[in-house]
Amino acid sequence: MRIATFNINGMNARLPALLQWLDETKPDVVCLQELKTPHEKFPEEALKDAGYGAIWHGQKSWNGVAILARGTQPVEMGRGLPGDPEDVQSRYIECMVDGVMICCLYLPNGNPAPGPKFDYKLKWFDRLIARGTELIGKKEPVVMAGDYNVMPTDIDVYKPERWLTDALFRPETRAAFHKLLEQGWTDAIRHLHPDEVIYTFWDYFRDAFGRNAGLRIDHFLLNAPAARRLLAAEVDREVRGREKPSDHAPVWIELK
DNA sequence: ATGACTGATGGAATCAGA
């Protein structure tokens, strides 16, 4: 089973590029973030024509997450991250596909930091850590995939010294990510490529992709049953170099 | 230190992204 995560930065702006990539690579499951579209404008029919069932949690203008499954309908297990009934942002959805639990998440950016947006990021992280506690020990494979908006270590940033005060790299943010990992999650990309410089995002500014001034912020965290099945973890880097790209590239894992 | 680029909204200019 191949599972991908892709922050598409606008579902409808990216639809042609998304359909092309689906046709080329045919992932079994796709977690999407930053749909930037209300529920009713999600292109359900176009995805069905491409062979994918979908569940999604839309929101006007910002955020929004979806899970696609090839040849089947994902069985939704929940939407909205538990722990704050006041939180109206669409950033989390869970489902089952062929016995694998898939969690699709879009963690808040948190800039500027410090400030209310950074506080929201850290609180959201606490809720994700609480959800992680509930999921880590499951007997079935669990995959938490998405845009975490965290570079876990120095190797994940093109110039770490420039990012020390940024919400994506501040010590509090990295500490929260490591607290989640310490529950027993495996960072799939880093597990299979321990020393390699691998990025998943390149800014639109200043020819960041051309200079390879990137960040690794899209991650797959696997519980032990999922990690035992891990065969491959890669970034479809060339997608970022195409016409009208997202600022993120798709990332994917293969499970036995 | 600043600004550069893109998408959504709404129909210009602003917010948000990371």
Side-chain angles (χ1 to χ4, degrees):
Chain A
M1 176 187 278
R2 196 146 36 82
I3 307 170
T5 184
F6 188 9
N7 179 322
I8 53 170
N9 187 19
M11 185 58 168
N12 292 301
R14 209 68 59 217
L15 188 59
L18 175 64
L19 292 173
Q20 183 189 347
W21 172 75
L22 289 174
D23 185 55
E24 289 167 352
T25 65
K26 298 181 172 52
D28 298 294
V29 179
V30 183
C31 297
L32 297 173
Q33 302 86 33
E34 279 210 85
L35 305 181
K36 292 179 158 184
T37 186
H39 182 85
E40 62 274 14
K41 289 190 179 173
F42 185 88
E44 181 179 18
E45 285 302 316
L47 291 165
K48 188 185 287 180
D49 291 345
Y52 284 85
I55 58 172
W56 66 97
H57 194 192
Q59 181 182 335
K60 187 179 174 182
S61 300
W62 298 301
N63 309 317
V65 286
I67 303 174
L68 318 181
R70 190 159 65 93
T72 189
Q73 179 66 17
V75 178
E76 183 169 327
M77 304 297 285
R79 58 178 57 206
L81 186 60
D84 183 3
E86 308 281 295
D87 186 359
V88 296
Q89 300 190 24
S90 299
R91 295 180 174 276
Y92 189 83
I93 194 165
E94 290 177 349
C95 74
M96 295 293 297
V97 179
D98 288 342
V100 177
M101 184 162 192
I102 314 281
C103 312
C104 172
L105 65 101
Y106 175 45
L107 208 135
N109 175 304
N111 278 308
K117 290 189 175 183
F118 190 58
D119 295 341
Y120 173 66
K121 177 175 195 158
L122 294 181
K123 282 181 184 164
W124 207 94
F125 230 136
D126 284 342
R127 289 159 58 201
L128 185 64
I129 288 165
R131 189 70 186 127
T133 303
E134 295 171 347
L135 298 179
I136 185 68
K138 294 232 177 241
K139 289 192 173 66
E140 66 266 34
V142 180
V143 175
M144 291 207 298
D147 178 357
Y148 284 74
N149 270 315
V150 181
M151 297 84 89
T153 68
D154 283 1
I155 194 179
D156 302 311
V157 200
Y158 65 102
K159 283 195 176 175
E161 68 279 8
R162 287 196 185 177
W163 288 82
L164 290 169
T165 60
D166 189 279
L168 280 70
F169 198 57
R170 288 177 73 94
E172 304 95 312
T173 307
R174 281 179 281 164
F177 187 80
H178 289 291
K179 189 174 174 186
L180 183 59
L181 281 183
E182 281 167 8
Q183 295 176 345
W185 299 96
T186 295
D187 176 345
I189 286 271
R190 195 46 81 207
H191 181 71
L192 292 183
H193 308 281
D195 304 313
E196 200 175 327
V197 171
I198 296 174
Y199 300 138
T200 66
F201 165 90
W202 296 262
D203 209 304
Y204 288 123
F205 301 161
R206 291 160 288 182
D207 189 31
F209 186 63
R211 296 183 296 117
N212 197 29
L215 311 172
R216 189 175 75 95
I217 56 177
D218 300 274
H219 308 299
F220 280 94
L221 299 195
L222 312 183
N223 75 340
R228 279 195 289 274
R229 300 186 187 199
L230 181 63
L231 298 174
E234 303 291 340
V235 179
D236 283 344
R237 197 178 184 287
E238 56 93 15
V239 172
R240 178 62 180 81
R242 295 181 179 178
E243 287 292 304
K244 212 169 156 24
S246 169
D247 40 7
H248 296 249
V251 187
W252 55 267
I253 62 170
E254 180 86 38
L255 297 183
K256 184 159 54 180

